[in-house]
Amino acid sequence: MADRYSKQRVFLGADRDAKLRSVSVAIVGLGATGSVIASWLTRAGVGHLTLIDRDLVEVSNLQRQILYCESDIGSPKAVAAKEILNRANSQVYIQSLVTDLTSGNAVDTLSDFDLIMDGTDNFEARYLINDVSLLKQIPWIYCGAIGGEAMVWSIVPPQTPCLRCLMEEPPEAGDVDTCDSAGVLGPAVGVAASWSATEAIKILTGEPPAPILARFDLWNNERQFISPPSVRCKFCTNQITEFLDDRWTLKATTLCGLNGVQIRVNPPGNLDLQNLIPRLEARTKTIWKYTPLTLSGNDGELRVILFRDGRALIHGEVTPERARSWYTEIIGC
Ligand SMILES: [Zn+2]
């Protein structure tokens, strides 16, 4: 009789299909690519899935972030994603982490998995994932989509080259297109993430991953299969994980796809959000909205969301420097 996994089992075989029930996977970023990756891995029946995302669902996400509906706007993505995924497959144990991956928490957050999936939109997170991968010898899969392009690369230490073998340093801010500057097509996201999820099923069932970096330009009908460098970098050769050692206290980064800045504190704090309400309301002469996870309101032209771990999203015409000043001035650091 046909059961939930019968079609997949015909293709994979009983042993490899059963193996999926016992594996544990982390997905960092539950945006566009992360939504699709999480959907496939949940439906394929991985044993444990941990969803890590720092953001709330916004209306501009709905064009490509297929896990979310209009009713999810304002909810943490990791929480909304777990709810919809468990409706598709209640047999998968899903954990939601509403948190930001930093050099301070990356090792603790990502150490106990068979595979780490890149659902992020930024190189800061990818270099952290690469370092944890080298340190703990955990495979990870790079996945990116921008404009009409999709790019996927499986990195399995120590067998394969690492991210730094290809790009020793992250690109400078402003040197790469973002989904803000170049835009992104939803179906290109789907191709990248589905390719990535297929690679995941191979790695999790003991099959060799694709030995190449795959790049598709779906709009211009081009595809490239790029061999990673044959000479290994000193970082994966000697397990040097310098991104994990980067200690910072207050960091401001512009938001991809949105007009605004994110402020993060390291190590993550424990903001008493309720305690901040009188201070913020007195300053701004407006009502601020409190939930157990967030405090949000307006300060002049700026829309601000504060999180319990000390993080802030500041939307509006604001530079990282001004956002940092706002934070140190109002919240303190
Ligand atoms: Zn390397």
Side-chain angles (χ1 to χ4, degrees):
M1 199 177 93
D3 59 49
R4 181 187 290 269
Y5 302 117
S6 51
K7 299 291 188 290
Q8 172 174 290
R9 197 164 52 242
V10 168
F11 182 82
L12 290 177
D15 289 349
R16 281 186 294 197
D17 176 58
K19 179 83 172 40
L20 289 175
R21 303 298 98 69
S22 68
V23 298
S24 184
V25 180
I27 304 178
V28 183
L30 270 295
T33 52
S35 282
V36 178
I37 293 166
S39 297
W40 287 135
L41 295 184
T42 300
R43 288 173 189 275
V46 297
H48 287 67
L49 198 57
T50 294
L51 311 175
I52 302 159
D53 196 287
R54 62 195 183 191
D55 289 329
L56 308 179
V57 179
E58 311 217 12
V59 69
S60 63
N61 301 153
L62 300 180
Q63 163 253 356
R64 65 198 178 284
Q65 302 189 12
I66 60 166
L67 283 178
Y68 311 116
C69 301
E70 291 175 4
S71 58
D72 295 317
I73 291 170
S75 299
K77 288 181 185 175
V79 174
K82 172 181 157 74
E83 194 180 310
I84 191 83
L85 291 167
N86 263 151
R87 279 162 58 190
N89 190 345
S90 60
Q91 297 171 0
V92 177
Y93 177 83
I94 300 178
Q95 182 187 20
S96 297
L97 296 180
V98 183
T99 192
D100 196 15
L101 198 70
T102 66
S103 57
N105 68 15
V107 175
D108 286 345
T109 305
L110 295 177
S111 282
D112 295 323
F113 296 98
D114 298 301
L115 177 65
I116 302 166
M117 301 299 288
D118 167 23
T120 72
D121 59 5
N122 67 85
F123 282 95
E124 192 182 341
R126 289 175 179 134
Y127 279 81
L128 285 174
I129 294 170
N130 191 65
D131 269 5
V132 176
S133 164
L134 297 183
L135 188 68
K136 300 290 178 179
Q137 302 284 287
I138 300 171
W140 73 284
I141 302 177
Y142 177 106
C143 180
I146 193 85
E149 293 185 20
M151 198 154 81
V152 176
W153 184 22
S154 296
I155 295 171
V156 184
Q159 292 99 301
T160 74
C162 82
L163 179 61
R164 301 192 77 182
C165 294
L166 187 69
M167 283 191 294
E168 182 170 327
E169 296 296 328
E172 289 289 323
D175 280 0
V176 285
D177 276 329
T178 67
C179 56
D180 200 24
S181 61
V184 61
L185 283 181
V189 167
V191 169
S194 291
W195 185 285
S196 170
T198 310
E199 287 293 293
I201 292 172
K202 289 187 203 170
I203 291 170
L204 292 168
T205 56
E207 293 297 303
I212 43 86
L213 188 161
R215 178 181 162 273
F216 304 93
D217 183 338
L218 299 151
W219 196 254
N220 294 307
N221 315 312
E222 292 172 4
R223 65 180 181 178
Q224 279 179 298
F225 296 117
I226 303 161
S227 295
S230 53
V231 177
R232 302 288 283 271
C233 74
K234 65 182 178 189
F235 305 101
C236 61
T237 305
N238 301 312
Q239 285 187 297
I240 300 167
T241 57
E242 53 185 16
F243 288 90
L244 297 176
D245 302 328
D246 171 33
R247 307 301 297 182
W248 41 264
T249 53
L250 186 65
K251 193 167 191 172
T253 43
T254 51
L255 295 167
C256 182
L258 297 164
N259 197 17
V261 170
Q262 172 171 237
I263 299 279
R264 292 181 296 160
V265 290
N266 190 38
N270 188 17
L271 271 189
D272 186 339
L273 297 175
Q274 275 180 301
N275 211 22
L276 287 170
I277 295 171
R279 188 196 308 182
L280 288 162
E281 293 192 341
R283 172 191 163 85
T284 62
K285 311 278 190 295
T286 56
I287 302 295
W288 284 58
K289 185 182 170 199
Y290 171 79
T291 72
L293 289 169
T294 61
L295 179 64
S296 54
N298 296 312
D299 185 0
E301 301 290 293
L302 301 179
R303 170 88 188 148
V304 179
I305 306 168
L306 295 165
F307 293 78
R308 190 168 288 287
D309 64 2
R311 208 153 47 81
L313 295 174
I314 302 177
H315 295 289
E317 292 297 332
V318 61
T319 61
E321 293 73 24
R322 188 174 158 228
R324 198 193 299 267
S325 306
W326 184 95
Y327 193 97
T328 49
E329 186 186 336
I330 313 303
I331 309 300
C333 180

